[in-house]
């Protein structure tokens, strides 16, 4: 029997009488009760516009009012398919454009992209570019070593003896509270004039270098003044390097003392708050100053660690983590009687940004209790370092212990794990002010090739948590020339405004000897670096011959991308490199994992794969074929890859030698031709060097026309390939107007516009007035409809983008349209390519009405009759729209058309926001598949600050009992408290400022974050199905069927009778996320390789310099006086000090 419709007053069918979708399975066809015999068809000739005179299948008859039968809905689907195909055949002009290309065959050649040759050529060009920088680096490093060796140390040197340009001088002069303004020490600072330079995106002076010194280092110290003295000679080498290679960008020497000298001179980018930039913490310096590290940090959390000391330890650990790069591995544990990891990481993990974030958050939860047990801490650390079943650096091994002091030397532990070879270095840190004997801590460090440091207050943290790099650099210095190898960094944000760069680094060694016959010096002087902007490397890659979906990419040994079209960080942190893994830049699968591994291993390869790609607007997923080809870039740690779709194997190259024809086609670019030939948008490409760019396409076209009146397409200052192709496509699309569009009445068929876009950069929209509402990107390669049309066969529908949070579409003046596009495929001499995309823009309201008619039982122009008790028919989408929901949904799950008038303003929204119940059923029945991924380059609004109470965050506040206790005043805690408060006045940004903001970006408004993205795409079901949404008396019948040769799903369903079935809502909107669970990810780390060389041991290393220092025991009188000054609000201004090894004398 037929299923009765609710409009006829019938009750719901029992679930037992209807077909339903079984959990975990695909949908089943409906029962035979849903299907009935059909009557003969009746003609539609009088019902629809002329186009619908196409042969259509007739509507079946029925003997009772009912939910439409399956073959009835299949019939509607075929009518929809034929209508869409008919419109596109007549107005899209695919066949006509093919003929136009063939008629103009003499105006272009078909060129081939040979992947292996292409990728090898680009790799060679990049190698040559970087090699020029390497030669400049070597000249600088050799000169620096010679200058320092010849330098004579001056004990009595004064600030006024040194003349240099202080990059922060102008900013400090503008700051009345500046330390240097108060001391009046500007006599030694040069005042320079600067000129704007587009290469540096900055004002520069090519005659001088600039010097930047960290805020927490005293510029007038003897060490710094001597450093400034001998590095001045580098200025001439910098200048000579630029003379030999004018393309050089920043040349920088980062000194181990913290001084940065760079060329050309430019003012430092003044931060909004305190300037925390220290070259020794930059990614390029860390990578160049030492070999990779396996580090275990152990923190004493015994009961003797006071609140203030524990806070200092937590901050110290976080600062220590910031000295590690992605080549390093680390774990952090706390100990008292027992040792345990502070986080979920049970072994060494890569020191990448996300893992370090886990550590930093976990460290804040450490609580002091119990008794000190050094043995437990060190045994845990050694066990971690001896675990060979995990991925790790396998180079320098070290243990960093933070404690407030103790007497146990745990010699038995060292004898068991580390002696006699002493392959693990031990660094000990005495934290806070206390009266403990520090001799055991010094002994541990000295006995294990490490170093002992003291961190009495917050001001000592940054310096003393990075000085260990000097110790790790000893084997490099002693290795001499063998260690003088250039390394190339990960991508990171340049501190001076160049944008994303990579840096070539080369260590600079101290070649002096302490005396006649003495051992050679084993100190690293610093690191020399030369920047290469990513844009300069991109210019070496093919721009437009690869097509819209072809691209070049490059990765390093960590699998991080150096080049990739999806490398687009929205915001950058100056303290961290930009680390986007290749498998996160694309949608991960097994084939790409294999390609990534082969590239990291330095192999060549080629592989064709079927894979998923995300659309440019990140709303859709397409399954496509791609050819991957890759080769290593010699003399670097990089590997280069080329990705080509099969249809981009060939491309067109215009050959417009006929100047008369050039002029004729060029005239169709003039706005005066737009009224008759349609509006032309041209891609904003770099056609000529003197062409002024503009974001406004009308203005850009004007600039282009003005330039073309002065030069010819064959001019040497222009890209002849781009210009010839642009002009050719202008003529070809004009012929499409002439042959097809001009004689058609678009209004008759409810079309707002017709259009064509080409690889050559032309987008022609007809008629001219339709350009007013054209919102697609004028660069076809950056237009989502263009790229998706190339990757999909058939007609691709693109509804207007709507966000659920925005107001609905305004359906006024029939301006809201739906794009339908398809690629034009040419076959020329057995070579297939897709040089263009054509399409139409449907009038939303008119096509919504047409959709209802096509999905109805009407076969002539008579008014339809509604099914009722006395009639015998099936419900349809036109008459029974109060009871029947009929929709077209695209392959991303977005609403395209609906028979419900109130849903027209929701076109373009994810269908779950329109009918959550039905969308969930489509997903559960495998009509859609979900793909979840993470965007690690997103930017999020800063979190509002929490309630800090009456005291600055991070400051230990003593209680009233503490103030009344004389013992508290005489203890080291009071002195440490005062120091922390005093330093906090200067360094409060460590606790309160965002690192990026503190380090020189005054306009930070957003911070980097992770966003979870969810896209839906068609699943495995490719047939017509009936099913039921089972919910008792609220159950709903529905039918779903894919429309052939489109990206549409046709769905007919009963309208919901009640809301009890709202079981869940599928989400498509991007949401903030913490990313995948890091604790699980580290159990299956991605493949990587460390640098090919390791310098962690040298038999001649002198380990006698292993740290000294003693606590300063303040008197009661001094403490009381200082505390009174603090309470009165008159704290003395501290003199920042340089903390350096005793042997740091240069």
């Amino acid at each position: 029997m037929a299923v009765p419709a609710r409009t006829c007053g019938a009750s719901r069918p029992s679930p037992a009488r209807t077909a339903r979708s079984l959990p975990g399975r695909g949908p089943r066809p409906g029962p035979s009760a849903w299907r009935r015999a059909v009557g003969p068809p009746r003609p539609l000739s009088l019902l629809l516009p002329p186009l619908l005179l196409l042969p259509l299948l007739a509507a079946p008859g029925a003997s009772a009012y009912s939910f439409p039968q399956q073959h009835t809905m299949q019939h509607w689907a075929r009518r929809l398919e034929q209508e869409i195909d008919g419109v596109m055949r007549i107005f899209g002009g695919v066949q006509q454009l093919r003929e136009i290309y063939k008629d103009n065959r003499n105006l272009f050649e078909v060129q081939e992209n040979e992947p292996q040759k292409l990728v090898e050529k680009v790799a060679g060009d990049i190698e040559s570019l970087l090699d020029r920088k390497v030669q400049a680096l070597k000249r600088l490093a050799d000169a620096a070593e010679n200058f320092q060796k010849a330098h004579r140390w001056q004990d009595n040197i004064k600030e006024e003896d040194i003349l240099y340009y202080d990059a922060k001088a102008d900013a400090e002069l503008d700051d009345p509270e500046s330390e240097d303004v108060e001391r009046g020490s500007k006599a030694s600072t040069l005042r320079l004039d600067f000129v704007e330079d587009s290469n540096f995106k900055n004002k520069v002076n090519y005659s001088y270098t600039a010097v930047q010194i960290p805020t927490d280092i005293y510029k007038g110290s003897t060490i710094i003044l001597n450093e400034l003295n001998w590095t001045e000679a580098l200025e001439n080498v910098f200048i000579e390097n630029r003379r030999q290679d004018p393309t050089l960008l920043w040349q920088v020497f980062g000194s181990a003392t913290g001084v940065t000298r760079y060329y050309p001179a430019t003012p430092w980018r003044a931060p909004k708050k305190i300037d925390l930039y220290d070259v020794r913490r930059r990614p390029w310096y860390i990578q160049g100053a030492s070999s990779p590290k396996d580090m275990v940090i152990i923190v004493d959390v015994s009961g003797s660690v006071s609140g203030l000391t524990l806070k200092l330890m937590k901050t110290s650990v976080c600062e220590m983590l910031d000295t590690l790069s992605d080549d390093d591995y680390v774990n952090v544990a706390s100990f008292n009687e027992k040792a345990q990891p502070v986080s979920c990481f049970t072994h060494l993990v890569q020191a990448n940004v996300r893992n370090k974030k886990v550590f930093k958050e976990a460290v804040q939860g450490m609580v002091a209790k119990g008794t000190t047990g050094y043995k437990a801490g060190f045994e845990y650390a050694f066990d971690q370092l001896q675990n060979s079943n995990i991925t790790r650096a396998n180079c320098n091994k070290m243990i960093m212990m933070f404690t407030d002091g103790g007497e146990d030397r745990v010699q038995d532990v060292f004898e068991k794990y580390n002696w006699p070879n002493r392959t693990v270095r031990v660094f000990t840190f005495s934290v806070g002010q206390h009266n403990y004997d520090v001799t055991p801590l010094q002994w541990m460090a000295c006995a294990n090739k490490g170093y002992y440091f003291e961190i009495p207050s917050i001001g000592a943290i940054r310096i003393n948590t990075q000085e260990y790099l000097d110790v790790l650099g000893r084997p490099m210095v002693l290795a001499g020339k063998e260690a003088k190898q250039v390394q190339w960094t990960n991508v990171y944000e340049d501190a001076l405004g160049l944008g994303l760069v990579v840096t070539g680094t080369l260590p600079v060694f101290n070649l002096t000897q302490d005396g006649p016959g003495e051992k050679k010096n084993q100190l690293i002087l610093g690191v020399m670096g030369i920047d290469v902007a990513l844009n300069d490397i991109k210019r070496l890659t093919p721009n437009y011959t690869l097509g819209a979906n072809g691209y070049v990419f490059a990765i390093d040994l960590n699998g991080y991308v150096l080049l990739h079209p999806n490398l687009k960080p929205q915001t950058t942190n100056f303290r961290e490199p930009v680390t986007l893994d290749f498998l996160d830049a694309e949608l991960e699968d097994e084939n790409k994992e294999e390609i990534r591994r082969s590239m990291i291993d330095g192999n060549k390869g080629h592989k064709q794969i079927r894979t998923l790609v995300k659309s440019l607007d990140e709303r859709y997923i397409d399954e496509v074929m791609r050819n991957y080809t890759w080769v290593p870039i010699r003399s670097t740690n990089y590997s280069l890859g080329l990705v080509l779709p099969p249809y981009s194997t060939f491309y067109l190259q215009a050959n417009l030698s006929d100047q008369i024809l050039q002029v004729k086609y060029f005239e169709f670019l003039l706005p005066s031709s737009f009224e008759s030939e349609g509006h032309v948008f041209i891609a904003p490409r770099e056609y000529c060097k003197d062409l002024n760019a503009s974001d406004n396409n009308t203005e850009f076209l004007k600039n282009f026309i003005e330039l073309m009146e002065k030069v010819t397409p064959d001019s040497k200052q222009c890209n002849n390939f781009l210009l010839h192709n642009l002009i050719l496509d202008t003529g070809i699309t004009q012929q499409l107007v002439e042959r097809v569009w001009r004689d058609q009445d678009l209004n008759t068929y409810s079309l707002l516009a017709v259009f064509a876009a080409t690889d050559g950069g032309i987008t022609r929209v007809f008629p001219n007035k339709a350009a007013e509402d054209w919102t697609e990107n004028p660069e076809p390669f950056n237009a989502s409809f263009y790229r998706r049309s190339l990757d999909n066969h058939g007609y691709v529908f693109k509804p207007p983008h709507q966000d659920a949070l925005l107001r609905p579409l305004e359906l006024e003046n029939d301006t809201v349209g739906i794009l339908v596009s398809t690629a034009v495929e040419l076959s020329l001499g057995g070579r297939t390519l897709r040089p263009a995309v054509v399409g139409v823009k449907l009038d939303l309201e008119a096509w919504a009405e047409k959709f209802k008619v096509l999905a109805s039982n009407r076969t002539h122009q008579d008014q339809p009759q509604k099914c009722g008790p006395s009639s015998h028919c099936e419900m349809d989408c036109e008459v029974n729209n109060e009871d029947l929901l009929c929709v077209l949904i695209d392959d991303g799950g977005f609403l395209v058309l609906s028979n419900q008038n109130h849903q027209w303003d929701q076109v373009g929204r994810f269908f779950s926001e329109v009918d959550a119940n039905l969308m969930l059923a489509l997903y559960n029945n495998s009509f859609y598949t979900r793909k979840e991924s993470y965007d690690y380059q997103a930017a999020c609004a800063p979190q509002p600050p929490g309630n800090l109470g009456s005291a600055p965050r991070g400051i230990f506040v003593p209680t009233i009992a503490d103030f009344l206790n004389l013992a508290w005043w005489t203890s080291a805690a009071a002195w440490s408290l005062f120091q922390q408060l005093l330093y906090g006045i200067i360094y409060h940004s460590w606790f309160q400022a965002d690192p990026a903001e503190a380090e020189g970006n005054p306009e930070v408004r957003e911070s980097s974050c992770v966003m979870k993205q969810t896209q839906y795409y068609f699943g495995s079901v490719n047939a017509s199905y009936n099913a039921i949404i089972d919910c008792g008396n609220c159950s709903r019948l529905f039918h779903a069927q894919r429309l052939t040769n489109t990206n549409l799903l046709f769905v007919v369903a009963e309208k919901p009778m009640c809301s009890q079935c709202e079981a869940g809502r599928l989400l498509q909107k991007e949401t903030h996320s913490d990313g995948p669970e890091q604790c699980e990810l580290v159990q299956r780390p991605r493949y990587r390789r460390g640098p090919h060389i390791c310098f962690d041991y040298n038999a001649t290393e002198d380990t006698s310099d292993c740290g000294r220092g003693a606590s300063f025991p303040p008197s009661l009188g001094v403490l009381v006086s200082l505390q009174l000054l603090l309470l009165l609000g008159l704290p003395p201004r501290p003199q920042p000090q340089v903390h350096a090894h005793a042997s740091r004398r240069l």
Side-chain angles (χ1 to χ4, degrees):
M1 62 178 282
V3 180
R6 296 202 313 277
T7 50
C8 304
S11 61
R12 285 273 185 193
S14 166
R17 301 285 301 275
T18 59
R20 66 188 65 194
S21 175
L22 299 178
R25 299 184 182 178
R28 291 182 175 181
S32 59
W34 290 7
R35 299 186 289 274
R36 301 192 57 82
V38 300
R42 288 182 288 175
L44 281 170
S45 58
L46 301 177
L47 172 64
L48 301 173
L51 179 61
L52 300 182
L53 295 177
L54 296 167
L56 295 177
L57 294 174
S63 60
Y65 48 92
S66 61
F67 186 82
Q69 301 170 55
Q70 182 165 330
H71 56 79
T72 299
M73 290 178 284
Q74 290 174 340
H75 165 71
W76 294 347
R78 285 191 289 272
R79 290 169 67 176
L80 288 166
E81 292 165 358
Q82 291 179 359
E83 178 70 6
I84 293 167
D85 184 66
V87 169
M88 290 300 292
R89 284 180 181 274
I90 293 177
F91 292 94
V94 174
Q95 185 58 39
Q96 294 91 332
L97 192 55
R98 286 197 191 103
E99 295 301 324
I100 292 171
Y101 273 109
K102 291 178 181 178
D103 291 346
N104 291 275
R105 183 67 183 83
N106 63 315
L107 299 181
F108 60 83
E109 299 173 358
V110 179
Q111 302 289 352
E112 182 177 1
N113 282 315
E114 299 181 66
Q116 193 65 38
K117 289 184 179 179
L118 264 178
V119 74
E120 288 179 351
K121 180 185 183 302
V122 175
D125 291 343
I126 294 176
E127 180 188 358
S128 298
L129 171 71
L130 299 184
D131 185 64
R132 293 196 298 271
K133 317 307 176 188
V134 167
Q135 299 309 313
L137 266 177
K138 290 180 177 178
R139 287 192 294 269
L140 281 169
D142 291 343
E145 291 172 349
N146 291 329
F147 291 151
Q148 191 276 333
K149 185 176 182 180
H151 173 254
R152 184 173 180 179
W153 178 270
Q154 301 179 48
D155 285 320
N156 299 320
I157 194 170
K158 298 179 181 178
E159 285 188 79
E160 52 266 29
D161 298 334
I162 306 298
L163 191 64
Y164 67 98
Y165 172 66
D166 184 347
K168 297 193 291 184
D170 294 336
E172 289 173 345
L173 282 173
D174 293 338
D175 180 7
E177 296 183 3
S178 167
E179 160 196 338
D180 292 290
V181 171
E182 288 188 6
R183 293 210 312 264
S185 62
K186 288 299 165 186
S188 60
T189 300
L190 293 169
R191 303 302 298 271
L192 304 180
D193 295 323
F194 301 94
V195 294
E196 194 71 39
D197 190 303
S198 59
N199 293 323
F200 287 89
K201 302 179 183 178
N202 223 324
K203 292 183 177 181
V204 299
N205 184 304
Y206 284 113
S207 299
Y208 294 91
T209 57
V211 171
Q212 189 272 348
I213 300 174
T215 303
D216 50 346
I217 291 181
Y218 176 40
K219 299 176 184 179
S221 74
T222 304
I223 291 177
I224 297 302
L225 293 176
N226 275 278
E227 189 85 4
L228 293 173
N229 192 19
W230 76 260
T231 57
E232 182 183 4
L234 290 172
E235 200 164 85
N236 292 332
V237 187
F238 286 139
I239 294 172
E240 176 60 19
N241 271 348
R242 182 175 179 272
R243 188 191 66 78
Q244 294 187 30
D245 182 5
T247 66
L248 282 176
L249 296 176
W250 301 121
Q251 303 175 64
V252 187
F253 174 59
S255 168
T257 62
V259 173
T260 304
R261 187 180 286 271
Y262 60 90
Y263 175 86
T266 190
W268 194 247
R269 303 180 79 191
K272 196 171 185 179
K273 296 189 177 181
I274 196 165
D275 178 26
L276 295 182
Y277 181 95
D278 189 322
V279 69
R280 294 167 296 182
R281 289 178 173 268
R282 296 296 286 159
W284 64 271
Y285 184 95
I286 293 171
Q287 181 168 325
S290 64
S291 293
K293 303 173 278 295
D294 286 325
M295 176 187 290
V296 179
I297 302 173
I298 53 176
V299 186
D300 181 359
V301 292
S302 61
S304 63
V305 178
S306 69
L308 177 58
T309 302
L310 183 60
K311 177 62 182 178
L312 290 175
M313 287 185 181
K314 292 177 179 179
T315 306
S316 298
V317 172
C318 293
E319 290 291 327
M320 178 68 72
L321 289 169
D322 284 338
T323 68
L324 302 178
S325 73
D326 289 75
D327 289 333
D328 304 320
Y329 281 74
V330 65
N331 202 357
V332 182
S334 61
F335 69 90
N336 37 42
E337 302 93 338
K338 295 181 180 179
Q340 59 182 7
V342 298
S343 69
C344 58
F345 301 145
T346 58
H347 54 74
L348 292 171
V349 297
Q350 188 181 16
N352 59 40
V353 174
R354 292 188 288 278
N355 286 342
K356 288 193 286 189
K357 180 182 178 182
V358 172
F359 282 127
K360 290 178 180 180
E361 292 174 352
V363 162
Q364 301 308 316
M366 292 190 305
V367 178
K369 61 182 178 180
T371 59
T372 304
Y374 287 160
K375 183 174 183 178
F378 277 108
E379 285 184 338
Y380 178 89
F382 280 113
D383 287 340
Q384 290 277 299
L385 293 171
Q386 289 183 354
N387 185 356
S388 59
N389 296 324
I390 59 169
T391 305
R392 56 183 186 176
N394 286 319
C395 193
N396 285 295
K397 298 178 180 61
M398 66 202 68
I399 299 172
M400 325 297 278
M401 182 180 72
F402 293 88
T403 180
D404 63 342
E407 298 180 357
D408 190 0
R409 301 191 178 198
V410 290
Q411 182 171 337
D412 57 329
V413 175
F414 298 133
E415 290 175 348
K416 176 180 178 182
Y417 289 96
N418 204 35
W419 293 355
N421 295 326
R422 299 191 295 172
T423 56
V424 177
R425 297 181 188 268
V426 175
F427 296 86
T428 55
F429 297 82
S430 174
V431 183
Q433 290 286 348
H434 51 73
N435 295 319
Y436 298 121
D437 180 12
V438 298
T439 304
L441 299 180
Q442 292 176 333
W443 179 88
M444 292 180 195
C446 294
N448 293 279
K449 298 171 63 176
Y451 209 91
Y452 163 74
F453 299 95
E454 290 185 357
I455 302 178
S457 62
I458 196 170
I461 291 177
R462 282 172 61 87
I463 296 293
N464 288 334
T465 53
Q466 66 194 21
E467 289 274 328
Y468 77 93
L469 290 173
D470 285 345
V471 178
L472 298 189
R474 291 172 182 170
M476 291 180 63
V477 178
L478 296 172
K481 291 183 179 180
E482 184 184 354
K484 298 299 288 291
Q485 300 193 28
V486 174
Q487 295 188 67
W488 290 95
T489 68
N490 298 329
V491 178
Y492 70 96
E493 178 80 5
D494 172 51
L496 290 171
L498 268 183
L500 296 181
V501 299
V502 294
T503 298
T505 65
L506 195 60
V508 180
F509 301 152
N510 191 330
L511 302 183
T512 62
Q513 294 182 344
D514 292 336
E518 296 289 332
K519 292 182 179 179
K520 63 182 294 188
N521 201 301
Q522 54 187 17
L523 282 177
I524 186 170
L525 291 176
V527 176
M528 201 66 73
I530 289 183
D531 289 344
V532 178
L534 287 195
N535 286 335
D536 290 341
I537 300 178
K538 288 179 184 177
R539 291 190 185 99
L540 302 176
T541 64
N543 279 333
Y544 300 102
T545 59
L546 303 182
N549 291 315
Y551 56 91
V552 171
F553 71 98
I555 66 174
D556 63 16
L557 294 179
N558 281 300
Y560 298 146
V561 295
L562 162 73
L563 296 177
H564 199 285
N566 294 334
L567 179 62
K568 303 173 183 177
Q570 300 301 307
T571 183
T572 50
N573 183 339
F574 281 88
R575 305 182 73 179
E576 298 287 356
V578 178
T579 53
L580 178 66
D581 196 284
F582 169 65
L583 297 179
D584 295 322
E586 305 193 359
L587 293 177
E588 181 177 358
D589 59 39
E590 291 183 0
N591 285 315
K592 290 177 183 175
E593 287 182 19
E594 181 182 329
I595 292 169
R596 178 181 177 276
R597 176 183 285 265
S598 179
M599 294 180 72
I600 290 174
D601 287 339
N603 300 324
K604 293 183 179 181
H606 175 84
K607 189 177 183 68
Q608 184 177 76
I609 66 173
R610 178 169 291 278
T611 186
L612 298 179
V613 297
K614 200 179 297 183
S615 67
L616 197 64
D617 56 13
E618 299 183 329
R619 287 159 60 87
Y620 299 93
I621 296 287
D622 290 312
E623 188 175 10
V624 299
M625 293 296 297
R626 292 288 188 264
N627 293 307
Y628 282 75
T629 308
W630 60 95
V631 297
I633 302 176
R634 293 186 295 271
S635 304
T636 73
N637 292 331
Y638 303 135
S639 184
L640 187 77
L642 171 66
V643 180
L644 271 182
Y647 54 79
S648 290
T649 301
F650 301 97
Y651 64 93
L652 300 184
Q653 180 171 350
N655 182 20
L656 292 177
S657 56
D658 186 342
Q659 293 188 356
I660 296 177
L661 194 61
Q662 288 182 12
V663 174
K664 177 184 176 181
Y665 284 177
F666 178 76
E667 288 178 350
F668 296 126
L669 282 174
L670 302 178
S672 58
S673 71
F674 289 177
E675 196 58 40
S676 61
E677 312 300 331
H679 192 99
V680 174
F681 298 91
I682 67 171
R685 299 174 181 175
E686 195 174 341
Y687 299 102
C688 299
K689 292 179 181 178
D690 295 335
L691 178 59
N692 294 324
S694 174
D695 293 333
N696 183 296
N697 200 257
T698 301
E699 183 178 343
F700 181 75
L701 178 60
K702 178 184 175 183
N703 297 341
F704 176 80
I705 292 172
E706 290 176 352
L707 182 63
M708 287 297 101
E709 291 173 349
K710 302 175 185 177
V711 302
T712 69
D714 299 311
S715 171
K716 291 183 179 180
Q717 66 162 296
C718 296
N719 185 318
N720 305 138
F721 171 81
L722 290 183
L723 270 180
H724 278 253
N725 278 30
L726 180 79
I727 294 173
L728 173 66
D729 287 355
T730 303
I732 283 180
T733 56
Q734 185 277 332
Q735 293 176 45
L736 184 63
V737 176
E738 192 174 278
R739 296 190 189 185
V740 182
W741 296 346
R742 191 182 294 158
D743 296 330
Q744 298 290 346
D745 183 359
L746 303 186
N747 292 329
T748 303
Y749 303 101
S750 307
L751 302 182
L752 298 175
V754 288
F755 60 90
T758 70
D759 278 359
I762 290 292
T763 302
R764 188 179 291 275
V765 180
F766 185 88
N768 183 40
K769 65 178 182 180
E772 298 174 4
D773 301 314
W774 187 258
T775 59
E776 303 302 318
N777 198 308
E779 169 57 82
F781 285 13
N782 292 336
S784 183
F785 82 88
Y786 191 85
R787 294 172 65 161
R788 292 205 70 215
S789 297
L790 295 175
D791 272 334
N792 289 275
H793 291 284
Y795 309 123
V796 178
F797 281 69
K798 179 180 179 289
H801 183 196
Q802 277 211 82
D803 192 298
L805 300 178
L806 302 179
R807 59 192 176 91
L809 291 172
E810 294 182 3
L811 299 176
E812 296 180 5
N813 304 320
D814 298 330
T815 57
V816 177
I818 298 168
L819 289 189
V820 188
S821 57
T822 187
V824 178
E825 185 166 287
L826 294 180
S827 183
L828 301 170
R831 294 171 293 185
T832 302
L833 64 159
R834 298 176 186 171
V837 169
V838 296
V840 302
K841 191 174 185 180
L842 308 180
D843 183 321
L844 172 59
E845 283 191 90
W847 271 79
E849 292 292 348
K850 185 177 293 189
F851 167 58
K852 289 193 286 187
V853 174
L854 291 168
S856 74
N857 296 325
R858 292 172 61 182
T859 56
H860 52 81
Q861 210 166 19
D862 294 339
Q863 290 295 321
Q865 295 182 359
K866 188 171 184 177
C867 292
S870 61
S871 62
H872 299 280
C873 63
E874 296 173 334
M875 292 190 293
D876 67 29
C877 298
E878 180 186 23
V879 176
N880 303 95
N881 61 351
E882 295 180 2
D883 304 279
L884 210 59
L885 171 67
C886 303
V887 292
L888 290 178
I889 311 172
D890 70 14
D891 56 329
F894 297 96
L895 179 62
V896 176
L897 287 174
S898 172
N899 73 330
Q900 305 296 310
N901 292 20
H902 69 276
Q903 292 181 352
W904 291 356
D905 63 358
Q906 298 182 36
V907 165
R909 287 192 175 176
F910 186 56
F911 191 60
S912 186
E913 298 164 10
V914 180
D915 191 327
N917 189 234
L918 182 53
M919 184 62 193
L920 183 61
L922 293 172
Y923 173 71
N924 288 337
N925 283 274
S926 301
F927 285 100
Y928 285 96
T929 299
R930 178 166 56 195
K931 181 67 177 180
E932 294 179 340
S933 59
Y934 294 94
D935 178 7
Y936 295 101
Q937 305 178 89
C940 296
Q943 295 294 324
N947 183 8
L948 301 181
S950 59
R953 181 178 45 178
I955 299 299
F956 171 73
V957 181
T959 65
I960 296 296
D962 290 327
F963 279 107
L964 296 178
N965 187 344
L966 183 61
W968 182 86
W969 281 93
T970 59
S971 70
W975 174 246
S976 185
L977 168 63
F978 172 73
Q979 283 191 311
Q980 178 167 339
L981 290 172
L982 195 58
Y983 273 103
I985 295 171
I986 303 175
Y987 303 111
H988 64 284
S989 60
W990 289 346
F991 294 105
Q992 296 179 342
D994 180 84
E997 183 176 331
E999 290 205 11
N1001 186 355
E1003 301 300 328
V1004 170
R1005 293 292 181 269
E1006 296 177 320
S1007 59
S1008 176
C1009 63
V1010 179
M1011 299 295 286
K1012 183 178 181 180
Q1013 294 183 340
T1014 305
Q1015 286 89 14
Y1016 292 81
Y1017 60 102
F1018 281 152
S1020 56
V1021 175
N1022 193 20
S1024 176
Y1025 280 91
N1026 289 327
I1028 186 170
I1029 303 173
D1030 192 357
C1031 191
N1033 290 331
C1034 293
S1035 296
R1036 299 170 65 188
L1037 300 173
F1038 76 90
H1039 167 92
Q1041 178 173 340
R1042 295 265 296 274
L1043 295 189
T1044 303
N1045 209 34
T1046 73
N1047 66 326
L1048 297 179
L1049 181 70
F1050 176 42
V1051 182
V1052 178
E1054 292 182 299
K1055 293 181 71 173
M1057 188 169 63
C1058 44
S1059 60
Q1060 284 86 335
C1061 278
E1062 296 291 338
R1065 180 185 295 270
L1066 296 178
L1067 298 177
Q1068 190 274 338
K1069 192 178 186 309
E1070 192 176 55
T1071 57
H1072 186 273
S1073 171
D1074 291 331
E1077 179 55 55
Q1078 286 298 117
C1079 302
E1080 297 177 3
L1081 287 182
V1082 297
Q1083 302 304 321
R1084 49 183 192 281
R1086 286 172 172 166
Y1087 180 72
R1088 66 172 297 278
R1089 289 180 61 187
H1092 303 299
I1093 55 174
C1094 172
F1095 298 97
D1096 61 341
Y1097 171 79
N1098 191 289
T1100 64
E1101 178 183 347
D1102 179 8
T1103 62
S1104 61
D1105 181 13
C1106 52
R1108 294 162 183 79
S1111 299
F1112 169 64
S1115 67
L1116 177 61
V1118 172
L1119 280 171
V1120 172
S1121 299
L1122 290 174
Q1123 185 65 25
L1124 287 174
L1125 283 172
L1126 182 64
L1127 294 173
L1128 290 172
L1130 300 172
R1133 192 175 185 88
Q1135 293 284 346
Q1137 299 177 352
V1138 174
H1139 299 260
H1141 300 325
S1143 60
R1144 178 52 76 190
R1145 242 176 158 214
L1146 305 179

